[in-house]
Amino acid sequence: MPIVNVTTWPNQSDEKCRELIEELTLTVNRVTGAPFDKITVFIQEIAQNRWGEGGVLGTDPGFPELSRRRTRPADTTTDTTTDTDTTGTGAGAAGVGVVAGPGVVAGAVSV
């Protein structure tokens, strides 16, 4: 029983959500062979003021640029050195998933 969890900002129309659910269901069926009635897709919407990437709140006017940084912001109270991203991923979204656009993460699929 595959379950697909898509987490996004609440900015998609019902039509876009329907299209996404249909396409994900078709893809999971094609790849796994799971019957359509056993594939669950749900969309979880999180407000931009409750979402952060790279330490930046989604409602910050500089979010598109600041959330992609690879260094820690300077600490103005003590030391201005920064730590670099040693993972090499530069991941812009938390958790396991596939970034599908600004503020959209398709979660792990359980089969």
Side-chain angles (χ1 to χ4, degrees), residues 8-84:
T8 184
W9 290 341
N11 60 356
Q12 300 297 317
S13 67
D14 285 351
E15 179 57 36
K16 286 294 184 183
C17 288
R18 184 179 359 271
E19 181 181 354
L20 181 59
I21 289 170
E22 289 174 0
E23 292 296 327
L24 289 170
T25 301
L26 289 170
T27 299
V28 170
N29 169 264
R30 181 179 53 77
V31 172
T32 68
F36 289 110
D37 65 339
K38 300 300 180 197
I39 300 169
T40 300
V41 177
F42 66 95
I43 299 172
Q44 188 174 358
E45 296 180 328
I46 299 177
Q48 288 175 276
N49 65 344
R50 298 295 184 257
W51 182 294
E53 292 180 9
V56 179
L57 197 59
T59 53
D60 188 301
F63 179 80
E65 181 181 327
L66 295 173
S67 65
R68 302 303 179 248
R69 69 175 173 231
R70 292 178 179 248
T71 60
R72 187 173 74 188
D75 181 351
T76 56
T77 60
T78 56
D79 175 337
T80 59
T81 60
T82 59
D83 294 332
T84 58

